[in-house]
Amino acid sequence: MATDSPVVQVRGEAYREVQPELARFAVTATARDRDREATLTRLAERAAAVRVLLDGSGPTVARRETGDLRVRPETRRSGERVVAWHGSVTTTVTVTDFTALGELMLRLADQDQVEVAGPWWELRPDSPAHRDARHAAIGDALLRAREYAEALGARVTALIELADAGPADRPMFARAAFAVGGAGGGAPELELDPQPQTVQAAVQARFTISDPVLD
């Protein structure tokens, strides 16, 4: 856009720390046996036990996805003779109720030959936090433009161009504390501290300003 008016170009930025809205963790059931059929049977039984626990968790689990099934032979170094079979299946679980997250992870980890990894904290893709940061970045750009204009004895008159220049947000890991039950021998407790998520936004903006007063 061509213009004869003076132009000021600025970058607006916003940085926020907000509480996560989602927690994800992975549950992997494994099996190993010299016989392939026995390996598959054990793997299916352990995966079914995981499903039963997840089914019984009620609304705590918002979503679950089975994304990694592996069955492989173990051979001797000197040849292709199979000495055992390994199997594993991984389910990714998404939770929105953080109060029951630690208990659920411990119950799953207590199953035979089951590994639990996570959680990873995230915001929803459509979280209002992203929009709020973008709005704040635009406000910051306008404020900077006005400050530059005022320093020249001018004022901002119009917006020429506005472009997004923000970095992508990244999920963050948990800070977890594991505590054994009290003197009464109760069940273990897992306390999880949801880690605040960083939300950033940045914009590039160009504004026209009135004629500066340079005297």
Side-chain angles (χ1 to χ4, degrees):
M1 176 180 178
T3 177
D4 294 331
S5 300
V7 174
V8 60
Q9 180 171 315
V10 295
R11 176 182 173 90
E13 299 177 326
Y15 174 93
R16 299 286 188 274
E17 281 194 351
V18 298
Q19 289 301 307
E21 299 165 341
L22 303 173
R24 302 184 194 275
F25 64 91
V27 187
T28 303
T30 62
R32 180 184 183 278
D33 196 275
R34 293 183 178 180
D35 182 72
R36 179 171 57 184
E37 293 301 322
T39 299
L40 295 176
T41 298
R42 291 179 184 177
L43 181 61
E45 291 173 349
R46 290 164 183 168
V50 168
R51 291 185 65 86
V52 169
L53 276 176
L54 293 176
D55 287 341
S57 64
T60 298
V61 173
R63 183 174 181 178
R64 68 189 190 199
E65 303 164 286
T66 302
D68 191 9
L69 171 63
R70 299 184 183 185
V71 178
R72 64 176 180 85
E74 177 185 338
T75 59
R76 293 188 180 278
R77 294 182 180 178
S78 58
E80 295 185 353
R81 180 185 174 186
V82 177
V83 296
W85 289 86
H86 295 260
S88 66
V89 58
T90 299
T91 300
T92 301
V93 182
T94 303
V95 173
T96 55
D97 181 6
F98 300 161
T99 61
L101 177 59
E103 178 186 356
L104 176 59
M105 293 180 69
L106 282 185
R107 290 173 61 195
L108 290 164
D110 194 43
Q111 300 298 300
D112 187 30
Q113 297 298 310
V114 169
E115 176 186 350
V116 178
W120 300 277
W121 307 100
E122 300 177 16
L123 294 174
R124 299 179 186 275
D126 59 349
S127 173
H130 300 295
R131 180 191 61 214
D132 293 344
R134 290 191 292 267
H135 286 187
I138 293 173
D140 183 57
L142 182 57
L143 176 62
R144 294 188 187 197
R146 285 172 173 166
E147 289 176 347
Y148 284 125
E150 289 173 3
L152 294 171
R155 59 184 176 82
V156 173
T157 57
L159 172 68
I160 300 175
E161 182 180 27
L162 180 68
D164 181 45
D169 302 318
R170 294 178 295 178
M172 304 183 75
F173 291 92
R175 297 191 299 260
F178 182 83
V180 180
E189 296 180 358
L190 185 65
E191 297 180 2
L192 298 175
D193 299 324
Q195 191 172 50
Q197 301 296 286
T198 299
V199 181
Q200 296 174 277
V203 296
Q204 295 283 354
R206 296 173 66 220
F207 298 91
T208 58
I209 61 174
S210 59
D211 289 336
V213 179
L214 301 178
D215 295 337

PDB file of all heavy atoms in Angstrom, residues 170-195:
ATOM      1  N   ARG A 170       4.815 -24.787  23.036  1.00  0.00           N
ATOM      2  CA  ARG A 170       5.306 -26.146  23.204  1.00  0.00           C
ATOM      3  C   ARG A 170       4.772 -26.748  24.494  1.00  0.00           C
ATOM      4  O   ARG A 170       4.773 -26.099  25.530  1.00  0.00           O
ATOM      5  CB  ARG A 170       6.841 -26.156  23.241  1.00  0.00           C
ATOM      6  CG  ARG A 170       7.486 -25.736  21.945  1.00  0.00           C
ATOM      7  CD  ARG A 170       8.991 -25.728  22.076  1.00  0.00           C
ATOM      8  NE  ARG A 170       9.422 -24.708  23.030  1.00  0.00           N
ATOM      9  CZ  ARG A 170      10.695 -24.511  23.369  1.00  0.00           C
ATOM     10  NH1 ARG A 170      11.633 -25.262  22.858  1.00  0.00           N
ATOM     11  NH2 ARG A 170      11.018 -23.567  24.244  1.00  0.00           N
ATOM     12  N   PRO A 171       4.316 -28.034  24.434  1.00  0.00           N
ATOM     13  CA  PRO A 171       3.871 -28.680  25.659  1.00  0.00           C
ATOM     14  C   PRO A 171       5.033 -28.864  26.624  1.00  0.00           C
ATOM     15  O   PRO A 171       6.180 -29.002  26.216  1.00  0.00           O
ATOM     16  CB  PRO A 171       3.331 -30.038  25.165  1.00  0.00           C
ATOM     17  CG  PRO A 171       3.995 -30.274  23.871  1.00  0.00           C
ATOM     18  CD  PRO A 171       4.219 -28.919  23.266  1.00  0.00           C
ATOM     19  N   MET A 172       4.710 -28.883  27.913  1.00  0.00           N
ATOM     20  CA  MET A 172       5.747 -28.973  28.921  1.00  0.00           C
ATOM     21  C   MET A 172       5.525 -30.195  29.807  1.00  0.00           C
ATOM     22  O   MET A 172       4.413 -30.698  29.940  1.00  0.00           O
ATOM     23  CB  MET A 172       5.765 -27.694  29.764  1.00  0.00           C
ATOM     24  CG  MET A 172       5.929 -26.428  28.920  1.00  0.00           C
ATOM     25  SD  MET A 172       6.025 -24.922  29.880  1.00  0.00           S
ATOM     26  CE  MET A 172       7.676 -25.055  30.518  1.00  0.00           C
ATOM     27  N   PHE A 173       6.612 -30.668  30.420  1.00  0.00           N
ATOM     28  CA  PHE A 173       6.555 -31.853  31.249  1.00  0.00           C
ATOM     29  C   PHE A 173       6.068 -31.514  32.652  1.00  0.00           C
ATOM     30  O   PHE A 173       6.002 -30.373  33.059  1.00  0.00           O
ATOM     31  CB  PHE A 173       7.938 -32.513  31.314  1.00  0.00           C
ATOM     32  CG  PHE A 173       8.362 -33.118  30.022  1.00  0.00           C
ATOM     33  CD1 PHE A 173       9.108 -32.390  29.112  1.00  0.00           C
ATOM     34  CD2 PHE A 173       7.990 -34.407  29.697  1.00  0.00           C
ATOM     35  CE1 PHE A 173       9.501 -32.944  27.906  1.00  0.00           C
ATOM     36  CE2 PHE A 173       8.377 -34.968  28.490  1.00  0.00           C
ATOM     37  CZ  PHE A 173       9.133 -34.237  27.597  1.00  0.00           C
ATOM     38  N   ALA A 174       5.799 -32.568  33.391  1.00  0.00           N
ATOM     39  CA  ALA A 174       5.280 -32.407  34.731  1.00  0.00           C
ATOM     40  C   ALA A 174       6.385 -32.315  35.758  1.00  0.00           C
ATOM     41  O   ALA A 174       7.481 -32.798  35.552  1.00  0.00           O
ATOM     42  CB  ALA A 174       4.384 -33.597  35.080  1.00  0.00           C
ATOM     43  N   ARG A 175       6.043 -31.699  36.883  1.00  0.00           N
ATOM     44  CA  ARG A 175       6.847 -31.834  38.077  1.00  0.00           C
ATOM     45  C   ARG A 175       6.061 -32.772  38.981  1.00  0.00           C
ATOM     46  O   ARG A 175       4.939 -32.471  39.385  1.00  0.00           O
ATOM     47  CB  ARG A 175       7.043 -30.471  38.764  1.00  0.00           C
ATOM     48  CG  ARG A 175       7.796 -29.467  37.939  1.00  0.00           C
ATOM     49  CD  ARG A 175       8.163 -28.264  38.798  1.00  0.00           C
ATOM     50  NE  ARG A 175       6.957 -27.607  39.304  1.00  0.00           N
ATOM     51  CZ  ARG A 175       6.448 -26.524  38.753  1.00  0.00           C
ATOM     52  NH1 ARG A 175       7.004 -26.004  37.693  1.00  0.00           N
ATOM     53  NH2 ARG A 175       5.379 -25.972  39.261  1.00  0.00           N
ATOM     54  N   ALA A 176       6.612 -33.925  39.321  1.00  0.00           N
ATOM     55  CA  ALA A 176       5.876 -34.921  40.080  1.00  0.00           C
ATOM     56  C   ALA A 176       6.574 -35.245  41.382  1.00  0.00           C
ATOM     57  O   ALA A 176       7.795 -35.223  41.468  1.00  0.00           O
ATOM     58  CB  ALA A 176       5.714 -36.193  39.252  1.00  0.00           C
ATOM     59  N   ALA A 177       5.779 -35.551  42.401  1.00  0.00           N
ATOM     60  CA  ALA A 177       6.326 -35.977  43.685  1.00  0.00           C
ATOM     61  C   ALA A 177       5.659 -37.286  44.070  1.00  0.00           C
ATOM     62  O   ALA A 177       4.428 -37.396  44.029  1.00  0.00           O
ATOM     63  CB  ALA A 177       6.071 -34.915  44.751  1.00  0.00           C
ATOM     64  N   PHE A 178       6.461 -38.296  44.402  1.00  0.00           N
ATOM     65  CA  PHE A 178       5.934 -39.599  44.766  1.00  0.00           C
ATOM     66  C   PHE A 178       6.050 -39.785  46.270  1.00  0.00           C
ATOM     67  O   PHE A 178       7.110 -39.581  46.852  1.00  0.00           O
ATOM     68  CB  PHE A 178       6.711 -40.713  44.057  1.00  0.00           C
ATOM     69  CG  PHE A 178       6.190 -42.090  44.360  1.00  0.00           C
ATOM     70  CD1 PHE A 178       5.116 -42.602  43.676  1.00  0.00           C
ATOM     71  CD2 PHE A 178       6.788 -42.863  45.338  1.00  0.00           C
ATOM     72  CE1 PHE A 178       4.641 -43.868  43.958  1.00  0.00           C
ATOM     73  CE2 PHE A 178       6.313 -44.135  45.624  1.00  0.00           C
ATOM     74  CZ  PHE A 178       5.236 -44.645  44.939  1.00  0.00           C
ATOM     75  N   ALA A 179       4.936 -40.117  46.892  1.00  0.00           N
ATOM     76  CA  ALA A 179       4.945 -40.301  48.343  1.00  0.00           C
ATOM     77  C   ALA A 179       4.319 -41.640  48.699  1.00  0.00           C
ATOM     78  O   ALA A 179       3.246 -41.981  48.212  1.00  0.00           O
ATOM     79  CB  ALA A 179       4.165 -39.179  49.025  1.00  0.00           C
ATOM     80  N   VAL A 180       5.007 -42.420  49.528  1.00  0.00           N
ATOM     81  CA  VAL A 180       4.465 -43.694  49.984  1.00  0.00           C
ATOM     82  C   VAL A 180       3.399 -43.425  51.026  1.00  0.00           C
ATOM     83  O   VAL A 180       3.414 -42.403  51.711  1.00  0.00           O
ATOM     84  CB  VAL A 180       5.596 -44.570  50.568  1.00  0.00           C
ATOM     85  CG1 VAL A 180       5.055 -45.897  51.055  1.00  0.00           C
ATOM     86  CG2 VAL A 180       6.673 -44.791  49.530  1.00  0.00           C
ATOM     87  N   GLY A 181       2.453 -44.355  51.151  1.00  0.00           N
ATOM     88  CA  GLY A 181       1.378 -44.206  52.119  1.00  0.00           C
ATOM     89  C   GLY A 181       1.901 -44.019  53.525  1.00  0.00           C
ATOM     90  O   GLY A 181       3.056 -44.300  53.834  1.00  0.00           O
ATOM     91  N   GLY A 182       1.042 -43.541  54.408  1.00  0.00           N
ATOM     92  CA  GLY A 182       1.443 -43.224  55.772  1.00  0.00           C
ATOM     93  C   GLY A 182       1.759 -44.463  56.578  1.00  0.00           C
ATOM     94  O   GLY A 182       1.870 -45.578  56.072  1.00  0.00           O
ATOM     95  N   ALA A 183       1.871 -44.276  57.911  1.00  0.00           N
ATOM     96  CA  ALA A 183       2.267 -45.367  58.801  1.00  0.00           C
ATOM     97  C   ALA A 183       1.262 -46.502  58.789  1.00  0.00           C
ATOM     98  O   ALA A 183       1.578 -47.633  59.125  1.00  0.00           O
ATOM     99  CB  ALA A 183       2.443 -44.822  60.221  1.00  0.00           C
ATOM    100  N   GLY A 184       0.023 -46.218  58.404  1.00  0.00           N
ATOM    101  CA  GLY A 184      -0.992 -47.261  58.384  1.00  0.00           C
ATOM    102  C   GLY A 184      -0.854 -48.206  57.213  1.00  0.00           C
ATOM    103  O   GLY A 184      -1.634 -49.141  57.068  1.00  0.00           O
ATOM    104  N   GLY A 185       0.134 -47.985  56.342  1.00  0.00           N
ATOM    105  CA  GLY A 185       0.341 -48.897  55.221  1.00  0.00           C
ATOM    106  C   GLY A 185      -0.654 -48.712  54.106  1.00  0.00           C
ATOM    107  O   GLY A 185      -1.038 -49.665  53.433  1.00  0.00           O
ATOM    108  N   GLY A 186      -1.137 -47.479  53.903  1.00  0.00           N
ATOM    109  CA  GLY A 186      -2.108 -47.223  52.856  1.00  0.00           C
ATOM    110  C   GLY A 186      -1.481 -47.297  51.485  1.00  0.00           C
ATOM    111  O   GLY A 186      -0.280 -47.530  51.323  1.00  0.00           O
ATOM    112  N   ALA A 187      -2.312 -47.099  50.460  1.00  0.00           N
ATOM    113  CA  ALA A 187      -1.836 -47.166  49.085  1.00  0.00           C
ATOM    114  C   ALA A 187      -0.916 -45.984  48.793  1.00  0.00           C
ATOM    115  O   ALA A 187      -1.040 -44.922  49.402  1.00  0.00           O
ATOM    116  CB  ALA A 187      -3.025 -47.162  48.136  1.00  0.00           C
ATOM    117  N   PRO A 188       0.047 -46.152  47.882  1.00  0.00           N
ATOM    118  CA  PRO A 188       0.920 -45.035  47.506  1.00  0.00           C
ATOM    119  C   PRO A 188       0.115 -43.878  46.934  1.00  0.00           C
ATOM    120  O   PRO A 188      -0.956 -44.069  46.368  1.00  0.00           O
ATOM    121  CB  PRO A 188       1.839 -45.651  46.446  1.00  0.00           C
ATOM    122  CG  PRO A 188       1.748 -47.115  46.654  1.00  0.00           C
ATOM    123  CD  PRO A 188       0.374 -47.378  47.173  1.00  0.00           C
ATOM    124  N   GLU A 189       0.633 -42.683  47.092  1.00  0.00           N
ATOM    125  CA  GLU A 189      -0.011 -41.492  46.562  1.00  0.00           C
ATOM    126  C   GLU A 189       0.957 -40.771  45.637  1.00  0.00           C
ATOM    127  O   GLU A 189       2.150 -40.700  45.907  1.00  0.00           O
ATOM    128  CB  GLU A 189      -0.446 -40.558  47.698  1.00  0.00           C
ATOM    129  CG  GLU A 189      -1.500 -41.164  48.608  1.00  0.00           C
ATOM    130  CD  GLU A 189      -1.905 -40.213  49.712  1.00  0.00           C
ATOM    131  OE1 GLU A 189      -1.318 -39.098  49.761  1.00  0.00           O
ATOM    132  OE2 GLU A 189      -2.772 -40.570  50.515  1.00  0.00           O
ATOM    133  N   LEU A 190       0.430 -40.256  44.556  1.00  0.00           N
ATOM    134  CA  LEU A 190       1.240 -39.526  43.592  1.00  0.00           C
ATOM    135  C   LEU A 190       0.689 -38.116  43.479  1.00  0.00           C
ATOM    136  O   LEU A 190      -0.448 -37.926  43.044  1.00  0.00           O
ATOM    137  CB  LEU A 190       1.222 -40.221  42.241  1.00  0.00           C
ATOM    138  CG  LEU A 190       2.116 -39.627  41.160  1.00  0.00           C
ATOM    139  CD1 LEU A 190       3.579 -39.751  41.555  1.00  0.00           C
ATOM    140  CD2 LEU A 190       1.877 -40.319  39.827  1.00  0.00           C
ATOM    141  N   GLU A 191       1.468 -37.148  43.894  1.00  0.00           N
ATOM    142  CA  GLU A 191       1.050 -35.757  43.817  1.00  0.00           C
ATOM    143  C   GLU A 191       1.686 -35.122  42.585  1.00  0.00           C
ATOM    144  O   GLU A 191       2.907 -35.132  42.438  1.00  0.00           O
ATOM    145  CB  GLU A 191       1.475 -35.004  45.077  1.00  0.00           C
ATOM    146  CG  GLU A 191       0.818 -35.534  46.349  1.00  0.00           C
ATOM    147  CD  GLU A 191       1.266 -34.776  47.577  1.00  0.00           C
ATOM    148  OE1 GLU A 191       2.064 -33.825  47.408  1.00  0.00           O
ATOM    149  OE2 GLU A 191       0.831 -35.128  48.681  1.00  0.00           O
ATOM    150  N   LEU A 192       0.857 -34.565  41.738  1.00  0.00           N
ATOM    151  CA  LEU A 192       1.332 -33.945  40.501  1.00  0.00           C
ATOM    152  C   LEU A 192       1.070 -32.452  40.547  1.00  0.00           C
ATOM    153  O   LEU A 192      -0.021 -32.017  40.905  1.00  0.00           O
ATOM    154  CB  LEU A 192       0.624 -34.563  39.292  1.00  0.00           C
ATOM    155  CG  LEU A 192       0.856 -36.060  39.074  1.00  0.00           C
ATOM    156  CD1 LEU A 192      -0.015 -36.554  37.924  1.00  0.00           C
ATOM    157  CD2 LEU A 192       2.312 -36.334  38.769  1.00  0.00           C
ATOM    158  N   ASP A 193       2.080 -31.678  40.198  1.00  0.00           N
ATOM    159  CA  ASP A 193       1.951 -30.228  40.125  1.00  0.00           C
ATOM    160  C   ASP A 193       1.870 -29.816  38.663  1.00  0.00           C
ATOM    161  O   ASP A 193       2.885 -29.824  37.959  1.00  0.00           O
ATOM    162  CB  ASP A 193       3.157 -29.541  40.773  1.00  0.00           C
ATOM    163  CG  ASP A 193       3.303 -29.896  42.244  1.00  0.00           C
ATOM    164  OD1 ASP A 193       2.255 -30.040  42.905  1.00  0.00           O
ATOM    165  OD2 ASP A 193       4.441 -30.040  42.717  1.00  0.00           O
ATOM    166  N   PRO A 194       0.672 -29.484  38.168  1.00  0.00           N
ATOM    167  CA  PRO A 194       0.561 -29.059  36.773  1.00  0.00           C
ATOM    168  C   PRO A 194       1.488 -27.880  36.491  1.00  0.00           C
ATOM    169  O   PRO A 194       1.506 -26.900  37.238  1.00  0.00           O
ATOM    170  CB  PRO A 194      -0.912 -28.661  36.638  1.00  0.00           C
ATOM    171  CG  PRO A 194      -1.597 -29.444  37.715  1.00  0.00           C
ATOM    172  CD  PRO A 194      -0.632 -29.491  38.853  1.00  0.00           C
ATOM    173  N   GLN A 195       2.257 -27.987  35.433  1.00  0.00           N
ATOM    174  CA  GLN A 195       3.219 -26.937  35.117  1.00  0.00           C
ATOM    175  C   GLN A 195       2.578 -25.882  34.230  1.00  0.00           C
ATOM    176  O   GLN A 195       1.982 -26.197  33.198  1.00  0.00           O
ATOM    177  CB  GLN A 195       4.439 -27.515  34.418  1.00  0.00           C
ATOM    178  CG  GLN A 195       5.586 -26.523  34.304  1.00  0.00           C
ATOM    179  CD  GLN A 195       6.840 -27.177  33.792  1.00  0.00           C
ATOM    180  OE1 GLN A 195       6.790 -27.871  32.790  1.00  0.00           O
ATOM    181  NE2 GLN A 195       7.954 -26.966  34.464  1.00  0.00           N
TER     182      GLN A 195
END
